[in-house]
Amino acid sequence: MAEPARAYPITPEASDTRFTFGLVLDVAAVLTAHGYPPLAGGADHVDLQQALFSFLYRKD
């Protein structure tokens, strides 16, 4: 049986207004709600932002 086509990563638009700091905060809140420790500061936010970006967007 063939594996279904992947939905991610996507090709980034010139300016994707969906990728905001609020998105990072929302994902951090979900992680905390599932028992992971809260983000400790700026470096954690930057690392989470980079991980999300890498997951979401295709590198050309």
Side-chain angles (χ1 to χ4, degrees), residues 24-55:
V24 177
L25 293 177
D26 288 347
V27 171
V30 169
L31 292 171
T32 302
H34 281 269
Y36 290 93
L39 302 185
D44 283 348
H45 284 95
V46 170
D47 285 350
L48 180 56
Q49 183 179 27
Q50 289 176 332
L52 286 171
F53 193 90
S54 293
F55 171 78

Side-chain angles (χ1 to χ4, degrees), residues 3-9 55 58:
E3 190 172 321
R6 294 187 59 151
Y8 294 92
F55 171 78
R58 184 172 285 120

